[in-house]
Amino acid sequence: MTASDAAVLAAEAEAQARFDEIIAADSRIEPRDWMPEAYRKTLIRQIAQHAHSEIIGMQPEGNWITRAPSLKRKAILLAKVQDEAGHGLYLYSAAQTLGITREEMTQQLIDGKAKYSSIFNYPTPTWADMGAIGWLVDGAAICNQVPLCRASYGPYGRAMVRICKEESFHQRQGFEILLTLMRGTEAQQRMAQDAVNRWYWPSLMMFGPPDDESPNSARSTAWKIKRFSNDDLRQRFIGMLVPQAEALGVTLPDPELRWDAENERWHTSEIDWSEFYEVLAGRGPMNAVRLQNRRDAHESGAWVREAAAAYARTQAARSDGERQVA
Ligand code: FAQ
């Protein structure tokens, strides 16, 4: 080994030790800090998937903006869907600090190479789906994402703080839609229950595979990106839903659901993991539609990107000219 090789290795060991210290102290890694390549890649993977989920996640609810039952409902839904776009943008920006471009991430998504949350591959045939998405999907998102506010990577954790505040409003608006329907006619009650029946199991799958089939968990937990396991968060979510379902007057569609006092866990029926893996493989009910819509939006937005880039070039040239004159 040459002296310069040895010096490189020593510098790397020192950087790794500093990284380990920051993680152990529950402090934050910032974009300019040295980080192991695998940590960087894991974050890009998770943050990009998360960003894609927010952007694709606009579609199921976007489907109801023109058909919301009142002006007030329409304004609320429009604001919610716009919030999801904002979440996508913060998250893409956070991922960009790790050395990937927005264009690369977008290309991976429209090429069908990137994952996004399984939950957005289900259809929204009735207005009650807006309630069920808010209550169950945003509810699951909050359970999963509040711990991410403490993620060890600074830009991700900070983005999550604002996202969680907005998700919490989203969840309440979904609960309120369902409550209104449950206080309505029998047909409205049936519609609400039907939506809960369809979204309940997919919302449990949002937390990811069971712990013993989760290849990324151990490392992400050691790096303090993940703070709780997939199964623990799923349990926490069920615990949050049970009293809320009672308040709503809806039934959670699991005849086996009960508190197992001995093991201090919710006992549930077996989750149909084959359905989850089918959706991940691109064979869910709405995968093809969601991706095609995203591709079409990307193509039809090309002129906006070109115009924005041309404007930025003109502005840059103008300020260069002004600097030279000054
Ligand atoms: N869907 O080893 P693990 C929202 C993949 S945002 C698809 O356990 P990890 C707001 C996983 O990527 C919802 N794929 O992975 C909203 C991995 O594949 P890979 C999105 C999934 O990362 C509301 C493989 O399975 N939230 O709802 C899913 O440690 C309403 C093995 O899994 C986030 O992204 C899934 N459900 O844990 C918007 C939160 N689960 O990459 C609009 C941030 C797992 O190795 C309307 N992400 N996979 O090829 C996370 O917390 C984690 O990434 C997990 C998965 C917990 C999702």
Side-chain angles (χ1 to χ4, degrees):
M1 191 190 298
T2 65
S4 80
D5 285 347
V8 168
L9 284 182
E12 228 171 67
E14 199 177 308
Q16 176 75 53
R18 174 86 193 111
F19 173 86
D20 293 342
E21 252 170 49
I22 294 174
I23 299 287
D26 249 337
S27 199
R28 282 202 147 142
I29 303 294
E30 296 298 338
R32 287 193 192 137
D33 292 337
W34 180 91
M35 61 189 86
E37 208 35 44
Y39 177 81
R40 185 189 298 278
K41 283 201 177 125
T42 290
L43 282 165
I44 290 178
R45 175 185 68 78
Q46 177 164 329
I47 302 173
Q49 283 176 5
H50 193 166
H52 298 326
S53 304
E54 301 280 1
I55 297 300
I56 296 279
M58 295 165 74
Q59 292 186 36
E61 289 166 291
N63 185 31
W64 278 92
I65 290 173
T66 56
R67 295 179 289 156
S70 69
L71 182 60
K72 187 175 142 205
R73 291 290 186 199
K74 180 174 173 142
I76 295 170
L77 188 60
L78 196 57
K80 179 185 191 290
V81 173
Q82 282 175 339
D83 283 353
E84 311 300 359
H87 299 173
L89 297 188
Y90 313 147
L91 289 163
Y92 282 129
S93 300
Q96 280 174 273
T97 64
L98 291 154
I100 186 166
T101 66
R102 173 91 176 267
E103 289 72 26
E104 285 173 283
M105 289 183 275
T106 304
Q107 199 58 47
Q108 288 166 2
L109 176 63
I110 61 182
D111 287 346
K113 290 184 184 148
K115 286 199 173 78
Y116 59 86
S117 183
S118 50
I119 193 75
F120 302 117
N121 294 305
Y122 292 86
T124 46
T126 73
W127 170 252
D129 290 319
M130 301 304 97
I133 289 184
W135 182 45
L136 295 170
V137 176
D138 287 283
I142 294 168
C143 266
N144 165 258
Q145 292 172 24
V146 165
L148 290 174
C149 297
R150 295 190 292 121
S152 57
Y153 187 57
Y156 191 30
R158 288 190 287 274
M160 292 317 303
V161 173
R162 174 150 178 195
I163 292 177
C164 284
K165 284 191 180 143
E166 292 176 350
E167 298 294 19
S168 145
F169 147 72
H170 295 171
Q171 198 219 5
R172 269 175 276 165
Q173 69 85 39
F175 183 91
E176 200 265 337
I177 288 175
L178 290 179
L179 191 62
T180 305
L181 292 173
M182 290 306 290
R183 287 177 177 166
T185 63
E186 266 180 38
Q188 286 173 317
Q189 291 168 7
R190 273 199 305 276
M191 183 166 62
Q193 181 63 56
D194 169 65
V196 170
N197 292 349
R198 285 182 289 106
W199 289 92
Y200 175 71
W201 290 105
S203 74
L204 295 187
M205 294 175 198
M206 283 176 72
F207 295 91
D211 292 349
D212 53 5
E213 288 174 32
S214 164
N216 300 300
S217 275
R219 226 160 39 160
S220 289
T221 307
W223 280 327
K224 297 187 180 165
I225 298 169
K226 269 178 136 163
R227 299 279 178 165
F228 298 96
S229 80
N230 298 356
D231 286 333
D232 284 349
L233 288 174
R234 205 173 350 258
Q235 281 282 318
R236 199 180 272 211
F237 177 54
I238 295 170
M240 186 185 91
L241 290 184
V242 168
Q244 293 183 2
E246 220 170 276
L248 282 172
V250 296
T251 308
L252 296 175
D254 180 359
E256 301 241 345
L257 182 60
R258 64 180 160 77
W259 177 246
D260 171 357
E262 198 180 319
N263 295 304
E264 299 199 332
R265 287 186 78 74
W266 290 96
H267 171 81
T268 69
S269 308
E270 198 49 46
I271 293 178
D272 181 0
W273 290 111
S274 64
E275 174 181 323
F276 173 75
Y277 289 115
E278 276 294 290
V279 174
L280 256 59
R283 294 187 289 270
M286 297 298 281
N287 291 59
V289 174
R290 301 289 184 241
L291 215 49
Q292 192 53 48
N293 284 343
R294 186 69 199 87
R295 282 189 195 117
D296 293 346
H298 189 68
E299 264 168 40
S300 59
W303 70 272
V304 179
R305 293 191 297 280
E306 279 158 25
Y311 179 73
R313 277 195 301 274
T314 318
Q315 290 297 98
R318 197 167 289 165
S319 64
D320 272 358
E322 277 164 15
R323 263 200 299 277
Q324 274 165 18
V325 171

